[in-house]
Amino acid sequence: MEKLAEKRVIRDPIHGYIHIEDKVIWDLINSKEFQRLRRVRQLGSTLMVFPSGEHSRMMHSLGAYEIARRMINEVDDIRNTLTEREKMVLMVAALLHDIGHAPFSHSFESILSCKHELYTAQIITGPSEVANVLRNIDENLPEEVASVIDHTHPNPILSQLISSQLDADRLDYLLRDSYFTGVSYGQIDLDRILRTMRVKNNKVVVKRSSIYTVENYIMARYHMYWQVYYHPNSRSYDTLLKSIFTRLRDLYSENEDILEQYPMYRELLTKKRLSNEEMYLLDDSTCMYSFSLMRRSKDPVLSDLAGRVLNRNLFEYMSADREEYLINECKKKGYDPRYYVVKDHQKQIPYLPYTGDGSDNIYVLMDNGTIEELSNVSQVVKSLSTINEQDERVFYPKEIEL
Ligand code: CA
């Protein structure tokens, strides 16, 4: 693999430095699709609860790459097991794993009619600058990188290191999101996890001595989900965004002229799937600008919802069994429940053993050299894996209760 004449570093509060030695990594960072990630924040609606969490998807992607690079350089078993080509593919896949994310991911996925993983594969395989960089090295490289992300690469180690229950993506976002939001739940001992990581029987495993570190990691993830990612006020903001796009769709089906007022959503409203070029133009600033245009809309619903988003005038929430009551109150006060009473359901299972082919599991290397699935050797994880926490709420504007 071609090296840079001079090694580059990027300062980062989580990892100290992000180290870049390979020309392909540097060229990918400089592609326009990767640079778009500067303009998409990692946390979207969570900012309504933790306003300091302003970090971009670009820094998270660089962080996931840095962890993959460290896995290769610091974990002897990984360095000795993977071929030079697989090492490159692993680092590239870590760097690009989020490249298909839209702004305000959770709300946008409901209207993009396909998931961010599909856009990630579509951008990696091209046409795109990313695909050009990869094809310049090898005609089949884009497809090989995409296969790691969709778990079809012939070497399962690569997918395990990028996306499983203990992977470069999660390790970075837990550390990064907790640092930037200012909460302490996401603190995990990355150095120790890397120091005790091994490869055994074609599986990534951690040594028995590291079991408490892994328990702490599972707890950190569990707490981050309920305290940060699924915070009701963050979901309330997502609900507002969904209602905005429901209203926009409804207005468009009544009169297509609406596209002239919101040209940034032309493709979103008229096509099943965005092209890479259309995806490239979608970022946080595009959306925020559209909301300020909507605030001035003659349509009272669109204008009201956009004002709520801009001014953080969030919906209140109640348990989901009050939905009928709220729909009635809503109608009495002259609000259309289609946009003003919205149900949202979230669930989170802290650790799920034995799903699918088991490649997603966390495995522990015992002192006698055998390997065990984590919940068989950790009482803490065993009890956590029985938790299946569900949370269903209904969101509504407080004005309908006055
Ligand atoms: Ca990610």
Side-chain angles (χ1 to χ4, degrees):
M1 187 150 72
E2 192 182 339
K3 299 285 174 194
L4 292 167
E6 204 172 336
K7 186 168 147 177
R8 306 233 177 209
V9 288
I10 297 171
R11 267 281 186 198
D12 176 50
I14 306 304
H15 304 298
Y17 282 117
I18 312 277
H19 300 257
I20 301 146
E21 292 173 55
D22 303 298
K23 186 171 180 301
V24 59
I25 299 295
W26 189 245
D27 290 347
L28 289 170
I29 290 171
N30 289 313
S31 70
K32 69 176 196 181
E33 293 87 11
F34 192 82
Q35 289 294 316
R36 181 186 73 102
L37 299 179
R38 277 182 195 280
R39 308 192 298 272
V40 178
R41 283 170 304 183
Q42 172 82 357
L43 289 180
S45 60
T46 305
L47 281 163
M48 296 303 117
V49 189
F50 299 98
S52 63
E54 285 273 352
H55 52 300
S56 68
R57 286 219 180 258
M58 183 185 82
M59 281 318 294
H60 161 59
S61 300
L62 287 168
Y65 151 79
E66 175 63 14
I67 293 176
R69 192 196 66 79
R70 287 186 62 189
M71 286 167 165
I72 291 166
N73 283 279
E74 295 173 27
V75 181
D76 291 347
D77 280 0
I78 294 177
R79 189 174 55 246
N80 299 334
T81 311
L82 300 186
T83 65
E84 287 309 306
R85 165 126 179 166
E86 286 171 336
K87 289 174 191 170
M88 175 199 28
V89 168
L90 177 67
M91 287 190 284
V92 169
L95 185 73
L96 301 179
H97 78 280
D98 268 354
I99 202 144
H101 262 290
F104 304 105
S105 206
H106 296 290
S107 327
F108 258 80
E109 273 196 0
S110 63
I111 50 166
L112 277 173
S113 65
C114 89
K115 287 194 164 287
H116 68 87
E117 289 90 348
L118 290 170
Y119 282 109
T120 294
Q122 182 181 300
I123 291 167
I124 291 173
T125 53
S128 62
E129 289 188 8
V130 160
N132 292 345
V133 170
L134 297 175
R135 280 201 213 286
N136 269 339
I137 298 173
D138 179 318
E139 189 51 38
N140 302 318
L141 192 51
E143 285 71 23
E144 191 175 338
V145 171
S147 76
V148 174
I149 293 168
D150 72 13
H151 288 246
T152 54
H153 192 282
N155 186 348
I157 300 284
L158 300 185
S159 300
Q160 284 172 41
L161 293 172
I162 300 294
S163 101
S164 63
Q165 299 213 59
L166 182 67
D167 62 19
D169 176 25
R170 283 188 168 109
L171 288 167
D172 185 79
Y173 78 64
L174 289 176
L175 286 167
R176 190 169 300 277
D177 294 348
S178 73
Y179 175 89
F180 282 99
T181 53
V183 306
S184 59
Y185 322 108
Q187 295 303 328
I188 47 177
D189 193 346
L190 172 63
D191 290 338
R192 184 163 174 84
I193 289 174
L194 291 180
R195 239 166 47 74
T196 54
M197 203 174 246
R198 300 286 183 272
V199 176
K200 178 100 181 173
N201 304 351
N202 232 1
K203 287 185 174 69
V204 178
V205 300
V206 283
K207 280 176 71 181
R208 163 86 183 75
S209 59
S210 190
I211 203 160
Y212 306 110
T213 315
V214 178
E215 285 174 355
N216 174 60
Y217 158 83
I218 305 266
M219 287 298 287
R221 201 173 82 189
Y222 173 62
H223 287 151
M224 279 297 277
Y225 269 88
W226 287 115
Q227 306 263 20
V228 177
Y229 305 127
Y230 294 160
H231 191 289
N233 283 339
S234 156
R235 288 157 61 191
S236 172
Y237 187 81
D238 273 332
T239 301
L240 283 171
L241 295 176
K242 280 181 200 160
S243 284
I244 283 186
F245 287 104
T246 307
R247 183 62 183 163
L248 199 62
R249 278 247 151 99
D250 290 349
L251 290 171
Y252 170 72
S253 66
E254 284 164 24
N255 185 351
E256 295 185 2
D257 290 349
I258 189 109
L259 290 180
E260 278 154 38
Q261 295 166 54
Y262 308 106
M264 64 286 277
Y265 298 133
R266 176 173 296 276
E267 288 79 19
L268 208 62
L269 292 172
T270 56
K271 292 174 67 174
K272 278 250 169 296
R273 188 157 171 175
L274 302 186
S275 69
N276 289 341
E277 194 56 30
E278 289 151 6
M279 189 52 140
Y280 165 73
L281 293 170
L282 216 50
D283 59 28
D284 284 2
S285 337
T286 313
C287 292
M288 294 320 288
Y289 176 56
S290 79
F291 303 146
S292 74
L293 290 177
M294 289 174 194
R295 183 74 188 110
R296 285 169 267 173
S297 167
K298 288 195 195 78
D299 179 70
V301 174
L302 203 55
S303 167
D304 175 62
L305 293 171
R308 287 172 186 275
V309 162
L310 292 172
N311 304 330
R312 194 189 179 277
N313 182 8
L314 301 177
F315 282 171
E316 300 286 309
Y317 45 85
M318 279 187 190
S319 71
D321 53 10
R322 307 295 304 280
E323 191 180 15
E324 276 221 16
Y325 158 78
L326 287 170
I327 289 176
N328 285 330
E329 289 302 300
C330 195
K331 286 178 181 159
K332 274 192 234 161
K333 302 277 160 55
Y335 289 85
D336 185 341
R338 180 166 163 78
Y339 316 106
Y340 287 95
V341 178
V342 183
K343 202 150 71 171
D344 178 63
H345 178 248
Q346 296 294 346
K347 65 172 184 187
Q348 218 266 332
I349 303 165
Y351 176 74
L352 245 189
Y354 306 117
T355 48
D357 59 359
S359 65
D360 199 30
N361 291 340
I362 298 176
Y363 291 97
V364 178
L365 178 62
M366 305 303 286
D367 299 337
N368 65 6
T370 58
I371 62 171
E372 290 277 355
E373 187 277 318
L374 176 64
S375 66
N376 286 336
V377 285
S378 160
Q379 285 299 320
V380 171
V381 174
K382 193 185 183 71
S383 28
L384 276 173
S385 65
T386 61
I387 299 176
N388 180 356
E389 215 164 308
Q390 313 263 342
D391 186 79
E392 194 170 45
R393 291 172 201 242
V394 59
F395 294 86
Y396 64 96
K398 66 169 175 286
E399 290 83 344
I400 70 173
E401 275 227 302
L402 299 176

